[in-house]
């Protein structure tokens, strides 16, 4: 399950909690409003508890909305008036000051709860629109694509964000499945525009029946144009690039074709054996957007991109990841041992495996992610 689907809004959770507990939340203030005037009638004249009625209004404002706060405030004012009449002290200076203070506090709390609820509704609408937009950019991977099973996890370094500088995508064409995983230079929300450029280029070309080098050349051309088009004048275009690994998995061949553009090598888990092989390509390409290849490599033929072919048999799994995983550090500064952990849990299905790895990375770093993190597990089935 993707991070988009499991991310919950704290504001929405608090609102739901308040709605579910609102009837019980009012029991305490109502008991105080009844008990304080009654107790005042049995206490000596020099002991006065009616000023504690403001606590009932304050407690209500914490867990209820403006209407309930106004109702409890009105009842508190009425209780103070009753206590004053009972003691024949309603017109005294002390009771009048208490009454004025209670009225002022009630008005302030009603205004505060109204503004708070309106702010929460606005925040919920903004979050809903943001989540919808982020789902469009980083769509969840399908569970099945031809003869392969897919599972993914994503964590953004930005709090409350569900997308950042890491990306992945999958596309089906007749006879094969194509995959992309990448990492935009930078992290969090500022890198979303570059993420959208790469994903848009991949989705536009991946469905065409073109060789893998031509596909990567198309993405490179689109990324170079996009980075130049949407760069700020003060930005250095040479410092904006995207590392990526593009794969093609044929249906009728037990292999995977891989072009790496400066991206960390995928891990190949052999069947259910506890061995992992890093798929390091002999001729890696530069990151996307740098344009370091000669002119003939970006003319649409993809002559500068050389795919490497690796065995990928029934039961094998590919672990695709970004440097937010491989370069995650613990408190001692040690890198996360991805290959070791992946082989230790090699008997798990793709879904549980990717969830276990993602949870383990967070535990390894103490819950503090300093970079975006993307994990994809691909298993070839029969």
């Amino acid at each position: 399950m993707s991070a988009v689907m499991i991310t919950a809004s704290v504001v929405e959770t608090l609102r739901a909690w308040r709605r579910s507990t609102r009837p019980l939340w009012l029991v305490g203030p109502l008991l105080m409003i009844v008990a304080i005037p009654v107790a005042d009638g049995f206490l000596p004249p020099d002991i006065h508890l009616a000023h504690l009625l403001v606590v009932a209004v304050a407690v209500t404002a914490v867990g209820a909305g403006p209407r309930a706060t106004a109702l409890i405030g009105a009842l508190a004012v009425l209780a103070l008036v009753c206590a004053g009449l009972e003691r024949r002290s309603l017109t005294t200076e002390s009771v009048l000051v208490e009454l004025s203070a209670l009225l002022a506090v009630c008005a302030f709390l009603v205004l505060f709860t109204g503004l708070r609820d309106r702010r929460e509704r606005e925040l919920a609408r903004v979050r809903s629109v943001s989540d919808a937009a982020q789902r469009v950019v980083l769509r969840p991977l399908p569970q099945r694509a031809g003869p392969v099973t897919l599972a993914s996890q994503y964590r953004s370094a930005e709090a409350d964000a569900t997308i950042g500088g890491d990306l992945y995508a999958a596309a089906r064409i007749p006879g094969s499945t194509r995959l992309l995983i990448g990492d935009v230079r930078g992290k969090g929300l500022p890198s979303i525009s570059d993420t959208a450029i790469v994903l848009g280029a991949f989705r536009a070309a991946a469905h065409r029946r073109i060789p893998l080098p031509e596909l990567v050349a198309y993405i490179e051309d689109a990324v170079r144009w996009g980075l130049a088009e949407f760069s700020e004048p003060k930005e250095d275009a040479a410092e904006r690039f995207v590392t990526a690994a593009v794969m093609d998995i044929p249906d009728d061949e037990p292999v995977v074709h891989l072009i790496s553009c400066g991206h960390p090598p995928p891990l190949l888990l052999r069947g259910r054996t506890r061995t992992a092989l890093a798929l390091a390509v002999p001729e890696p390409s530069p990151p996307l957007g740098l344009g370091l290849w000669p002119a003939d490599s970006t003319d649409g033929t993809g002559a500068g991109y050389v795919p490497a072919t690796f065995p990928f048999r029934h039961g094998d799994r590919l672990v695709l990841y970004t440097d937010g995983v491989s370069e995650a550090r613990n408190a001692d500064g040690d890198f996360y041992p991805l290959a070791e952990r992946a082989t230790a849990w090699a008997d798990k299905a793709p879904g549980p495996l990717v969830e276990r790895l993602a949870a383990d990375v967070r535990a390894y770093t103490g819950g503090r992610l300093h970079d975006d993190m993307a994990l994809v597990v691909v298993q070839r089935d029969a």
Side-chain angles (χ1 to χ4, degrees):
M1 184 179 293
S2 67
V4 174
M5 300 175 66
I6 65 174
T7 299
S9 167
V10 174
V11 173
E12 293 174 355
T13 302
L14 289 175
R15 293 187 68 191
W17 173 75
R18 283 207 302 267
R19 285 195 299 268
S20 63
T21 60
R22 186 166 294 173
L24 296 176
W25 196 266
L26 299 179
V27 172
L30 288 174
L31 289 177
M32 291 180 65
I33 290 174
V34 173
I36 288 176
V38 173
D40 244 5
F42 295 94
L43 293 174
D46 58 335
I47 300 178
H48 190 44
L49 298 179
H51 58 276
L52 295 178
L53 288 168
V54 70
V55 176
V57 187
V59 170
T60 304
V62 173
R67 293 183 179 179
T69 303
L71 174 62
I72 295 298
L75 293 176
V77 171
L78 181 61
L80 180 58
V81 171
C82 292
L85 291 175
E86 184 180 9
R87 289 195 168 201
R88 296 186 177 90
S89 60
L90 181 60
T91 57
T92 62
E93 182 179 354
S94 175
V95 174
L96 291 177
V97 170
E98 289 180 0
L99 185 61
S100 300
L102 181 60
L103 287 171
V105 170
C106 290
F108 170 77
L109 290 177
V110 170
L111 176 62
F112 167 76
T113 53
L115 293 175
R116 181 195 62 195
D117 283 7
R118 186 176 70 178
R119 178 61 176 170
E120 288 181 353
R121 289 192 297 268
E122 293 174 353
L123 184 58
R125 287 194 297 268
V126 171
R127 186 177 298 278
S128 176
V129 173
S130 174
D131 287 347
Q134 293 180 72
R135 289 190 190 99
V136 172
V137 176
L138 189 66
R139 301 171 190 169
L141 295 180
Q143 293 184 352
R144 293 279 302 178
V148 299
T149 301
L150 304 171
S152 62
Q153 283 282 317
Y154 190 95
R155 294 289 186 273
S156 174
E158 295 281 354
D160 298 327
T162 53
I163 188 175
D166 289 358
L167 56 100
Y168 49 70
R172 270 296 287 174
I173 64 171
S176 71
T177 301
R178 288 178 168 175
L179 296 168
L180 165 73
I181 187 166
D183 186 357
V184 174
R185 183 183 181 274
K187 62 184 179 181
L189 297 177
S191 59
I192 291 180
S193 62
D194 297 347
T195 300
I197 292 171
V198 179
L199 290 174
F202 175 79
R203 290 168 183 154
H207 295 281
R208 302 176 184 175
R209 300 184 185 182
I210 58 176
L212 196 62
E214 291 187 27
L215 170 61
V216 179
Y218 179 90
I219 299 174
E220 160 68 20
D221 186 59
V223 169
R224 288 176 61 192
W225 173 85
L227 296 182
E229 181 73 13
F230 297 103
S231 294
E232 297 293 335
K234 62 182 179 180
E235 289 182 320
D236 186 356
E239 294 184 358
R240 297 178 65 190
F241 56 84
V242 182
T243 66
V246 187
M247 285 146 281
D248 187 89
I249 304 175
D251 294 351
D252 54 358
E253 288 185 79
V255 297
V256 56
H257 305 297
L258 169 65
I259 293 179
S260 177
C261 300
H263 198 75
L267 290 179
L268 177 62
L269 304 180
R270 291 290 188 190
R272 294 187 181 273
T273 62
R274 298 185 182 274
T275 59
L277 172 66
L279 302 186
V281 302
E283 300 182 53
S285 305
L288 301 173
L290 292 181
L292 299 182
W293 283 130
D296 62 348
S297 66
T298 55
D299 60 357
T301 64
Y305 298 102
V306 180
T309 301
F310 301 93
F312 187 45
R313 305 183 183 92
H314 166 60
D316 289 353
R317 274 172 247 169
L318 287 173
V319 179
L320 316 177
Y321 58 94
T322 59
D323 59 8
V325 177
S326 58
E327 296 182 5
R329 296 175 182 262
N330 60 9
D332 297 328
D334 300 323
F335 288 120
Y336 178 72
L338 176 60
E340 175 186 331
R341 302 297 173 89
T343 53
W345 301 314
D347 57 338
K348 294 182 178 293
L353 174 59
V354 78
E355 291 176 2
R356 187 70 183 89
L357 286 172
D360 191 55
V361 171
R362 293 190 66 87
Y364 188 82
T365 60
R368 300 179 301 274
L369 291 179
H370 300 291
D371 198 358
D372 301 321
M373 178 189 78
L375 267 169
V376 179
V377 174
V378 186
Q379 175 178 288
R380 180 183 280 278
D381 299 322

